[in-house]
Amino acid sequence: MTTTQTLAPAIRVQGIEKSFKDLQVLRGVDFDVQAGSIFALLGSNGAGKTTMVRILSTLLKSDAGTAAVHGFDVSAKPGDVRESISLTGQFAAVDDVLTGRENLVLVAKLRHLKNPREIADDLLKRFSLTEAGGRRVATYSGGMRRRLDIAMSLIGNPPVIFLDEPTTGLDPQARTEVWQTIKQLAGQGTTVLLTTQYLDEAEYLADRIAILHKGTIIQNGTLSELKQLLPTAKVEYVEKQPSLEDVFLALVGETGETDTSPDGPSDSAVPARKEF
Amino acid sequence: MTTNVLADTGVLTGRSLRHILRSPDTIITTAVTPIALMLLFVYVFGGAIDTGSKESYVDYMLPGILLITIASGVAYTAYRLFLDMQGGIFERFQSMPISRPSVLWAHVLTSLAANLASIAIIIGVALIMGFRTGASVAAWLAVTGILVLFTLALTWIAVIAGLSAKTVDGASAFSYPLIFLPFISSAFVPTDSMPGPVAWFAENQPVTSIVNTIRALFAQEPVGNEIWVALGWLIGILVVAYAFAVARYRKKVS
């Protein structure tokens, strides 16, 4: 079901505008996201990334313009859009009082799926949370909460997933784990739109990157297209010093507090984290 | 989507009931203050209060205590709703294909269950303190019906507060005047002992008619016109609060 829309873009945004009272947050945003790709919306705090995601996930109505997700207009057919998407917001939307397993069962039941318990157990395994599954989420670390949050978003295999700043506030290991998850998702044909203020995150994950600045898209292209905007690289010889992050990851080992996904993080040289 | 309303409400009610079962202190806290008031009024003030009726003072003041219990209990509904919205789980629900009224109804039904549990505790304590009634099954059903209506009316007010609040404290502040209202009514002393304007207010505010009706039902006395005044207030408040809560919710999730 994830690759049915091969011709039409999975997300189409045209001329979206949105103001809050006098503050114009979005001033005509246009972009398309190809089905099965990872699209990064890059921008600093207050650029309008979250507002854009909230419009696409039917939480907010735009003032002007049109947006369609999985072929459905967000304002005309919000119900169909909600069937096709899942949203992982900026703050982990998990229920602290319930256990990890109960959170997953809850979402599976609300999506009217059969066998909610099996779905929960399967996801706990996929996200290395089997042992923690019976514990209340209040006892989880930030990385575990985020993984559970993303696991909850995958229930029902929605073809389009929105991730709003998925790694903000996570430690380096947790961030690597989340990145692996996102890569795997796109590998299975899910369309991923993620927002981030971290350049390295967009660089590492995204097939296309759009830079949202002061309410409009000022650039939109692949990483190599964006790199061509600057003068050709000149070759310099610089002594490679390990960054503190390299040292940290080497010392504590990348498995960290929890077991990672079966294949493990692939690249040991995670680029230093630069803020936009 | 409408076919899912019941199923979704059921699943979400199960979730918030689980919250209560995991923190039963919310039910106990709700019951502690009314129990303390009951002890204070029966064993400290009660002896000096002339209610002008033959019934024991615990019988006289129990209806008012039950209303105070509910008024303080609904504050937790506003609190839980507010925390849901703060925590982001509310937005997750809104972005999912679930029927939207279910999110509110789950909190309302949970409020009903929690308040009835607190009420049962209070009546149990009152029985130990000497509360006696020869009320028939029909009278008990009528009392339960009135308490359910009262809980629903105040719960929808709590929903408005929970949806509108900016802070956790703000979410439950609305309940203080509601808790205070029974004191200026016939709940603890007869209204004719009060000075003119206060007596007028006490006689014409909703709590007095509700208290008098429950008291008459427990005492196996005719309820007279009071029950219709009480039902009028209850249904009126319920309808208005529900309308405002739904409008507030629509605005919030537009």
Side-chain angles (χ1 to χ4, degrees):
Chain A
M1 71 178 279
T2 49
T3 47
T4 45
Q5 308 265 324
T6 40
L7 293 172
I11 303 170
R12 165 154 279 181
V13 175
Q14 287 171 319
I16 288 287
E17 292 176 26
K18 180 70 190 177
S19 302
F20 295 103
K21 291 185 180 136
D22 295 336
L23 183 68
Q24 203 178 1
V25 178
L26 299 176
R27 309 157 182 265
V29 175
D30 307 272
F31 63 84
D32 284 354
V33 180
Q34 284 312 308
S37 69
I38 302 182
F39 186 88
L41 209 51
L42 184 67
S44 47
N45 281 329
K49 305 186 297 289
T50 298
T51 305
M52 193 62 238
V53 168
R54 286 172 57 89
I55 289 170
L56 289 174
S57 51
T58 75
L59 295 176
L60 204 62
K61 283 198 166 67
S62 61
D63 298 336
T66 58
V69 176
H70 201 56
F72 302 111
D73 187 275
V74 289
S75 48
K77 296 201 177 285
D80 290 318
V81 172
R82 283 177 211 134
E83 293 279 1
S84 321
I85 63 158
S86 94
L87 167 67
T88 303
Q90 213 162 348
F91 305 100
V94 293
D95 189 323
D96 276 338
V97 181
L98 303 184
T99 66
R101 177 176 283 103
E102 286 168 341
N103 266 285
L104 293 164
V105 169
L106 174 72
V107 173
K109 281 184 179 169
L110 288 173
R111 285 202 181 265
H112 314 115
L113 300 173
K114 287 174 196 129
N115 314 323
R117 261 155 258 283
E118 277 133 69
I119 292 169
D121 286 336
D122 174 52
L123 280 165
L124 287 171
K125 205 156 122 197
R126 250 175 87 189
F127 284 82
S128 317
L129 290 167
T130 304
E131 275 174 42
R135 274 189 3 234
R136 286 196 199 181
V137 174
T139 65
Y140 284 20
S141 69
M144 291 162 80
R145 290 168 70 86
R146 208 27 151 176
R147 275 183 290 155
L148 177 66
D149 194 28
I150 295 176
M152 283 162 78
S153 297
L154 302 190
I155 294 172
N157 297 318
V160 179
I161 288 191
F162 299 113
L163 297 162
D164 193 9
E165 304 207 2
T167 62
T168 298
L170 293 189
D171 62 33
Q173 290 115 326
R175 176 179 39 145
T176 315
E177 287 165 20
V178 169
W179 283 3
Q180 294 300 321
T181 309
I182 296 171
K183 282 263 185 193
Q184 281 173 18
L185 277 177
Q188 293 158 11
T190 307
T191 308
V192 178
L193 186 151
L194 70 98
T195 76
T196 183
Q197 50 180 319
Y198 300 115
L199 303 171
D200 57 336
E201 188 158 290
E203 187 168 345
Y204 179 74
L205 287 175
D207 299 312
R208 275 187 94 80
I209 300 162
I211 300 173
L212 184 62
H213 187 62
K214 293 183 176 165
T216 52
I217 303 284
I218 53 170
Q219 278 304 332
N220 179 348
T222 62
L223 181 61
S224 50
E225 282 168 4
L226 292 180
K227 278 183 173 166
Q228 279 167 15
L229 294 169
L230 292 181
T232 12
K234 56 179 181 189
V235 178
E236 277 184 57
Y237 292 96
V238 182
E239 196 180 62
K240 172 81 169 72
Q241 291 281 356
S243 69
L244 179 57
E245 187 169 336
D246 296 335
V247 176
F248 176 78
L249 289 174
L251 287 177
V252 302
E254 286 196 55
T255 46
E257 39 169 357
T258 50
D259 6 330
T260 41
S261 43
D263 45 344
S266 58
D267 63 333
S268 51
V270 180
R273 169 157 263 194
K274 299 173 283 284
E275 279 207 21
F276 180 76
Chain B
M1 211 158 117
T2 43
T3 49
N4 294 330
V5 176
L6 291 180
D8 292 346
T9 306
V11 172
L12 289 168
T13 307
R15 163 187 175 254
S16 42
L17 281 176
R18 208 164 254 174
H19 279 213
I20 290 183
L21 291 176
R22 299 223 169 130
S23 51
D25 50 306
T26 58
I27 290 177
I28 294 162
T29 318
T30 307
V32 162
T33 312
I35 289 171
L37 276 174
M38 202 151 56
L39 293 170
L40 190 68
F41 270 90
V42 171
Y43 296 123
V44 181
F45 303 146
I49 297 173
D50 178 13
T51 60
S53 71
K54 303 177 295 299
E55 59 186 347
S56 71
Y57 190 63
V58 64
D59 292 358
Y60 184 84
M61 51 86 79
L62 183 62
I65 290 290
L66 296 179
L67 299 192
I68 287 178
T69 309
I70 294 168
S72 55
V74 293
Y76 282 106
T77 304
Y79 172 75
R80 280 191 288 267
L81 187 56
F82 180 78
L83 287 190
D84 269 10
M85 286 194 298
Q86 283 258 298
I89 198 126
F90 193 79
E91 294 215 325
R92 179 186 288 283
F93 293 153
Q94 299 303 329
S95 71
M96 283 171 58
I98 56 179
S99 83
R100 298 210 156 184
S102 296
V103 178
L104 289 190
W105 274 104
H107 279 286
V108 171
L109 294 179
T110 303
S111 168
L112 198 55
N115 278 297
L116 289 179
S118 301
I119 289 286
I121 296 174
I122 300 290
I123 292 182
V125 174
L127 284 170
I128 296 168
M129 289 170 65
F131 164 67
R132 292 295 176 265
T133 172
S136 63
V137 174
W140 269 107
L141 283 177
V143 170
T144 310
I146 288 170
L147 292 176
V148 165
L149 273 179
F150 189 73
T151 309
L152 287 177
L154 295 199
T155 299
W156 282 106
I157 296 177
V159 170
I160 303 173
L163 288 171
S164 315
K166 302 266 188 294
T167 62
V168 177
D169 296 332
S172 49
F174 77 97
S175 67
Y176 300 131
L178 296 179
I179 295 168
F180 201 67
L181 218 46
F183 289 101
I184 316 169
S185 80
S186 64
F188 298 103
V189 294
T191 52
D192 46 24
S193 66
M194 301 172 188
V198 181
W200 182 87
F201 175 79
E203 276 156 25
N204 292 288
Q205 64 124 322
V207 170
T208 295
S209 60
I210 299 166
V211 162
N212 290 351
T213 304
I214 297 175
R215 192 179 283 150
L217 287 166
F218 275 148
Q220 300 152 277
E221 283 165 8
V223 290
N225 250 346
E226 292 273 29
I227 191 166
W228 303 114
V229 178
L231 287 175
W233 275 113
L234 287 170
I235 291 165
I237 294 169
L238 179 56
V239 168
V240 171
Y242 176 78
F244 272 100
V246 169
R248 189 84 197 87
Y249 183 56
R250 289 239 171 86
K251 211 176 151 207
K252 197 109 195 164
V253 301
S254 64

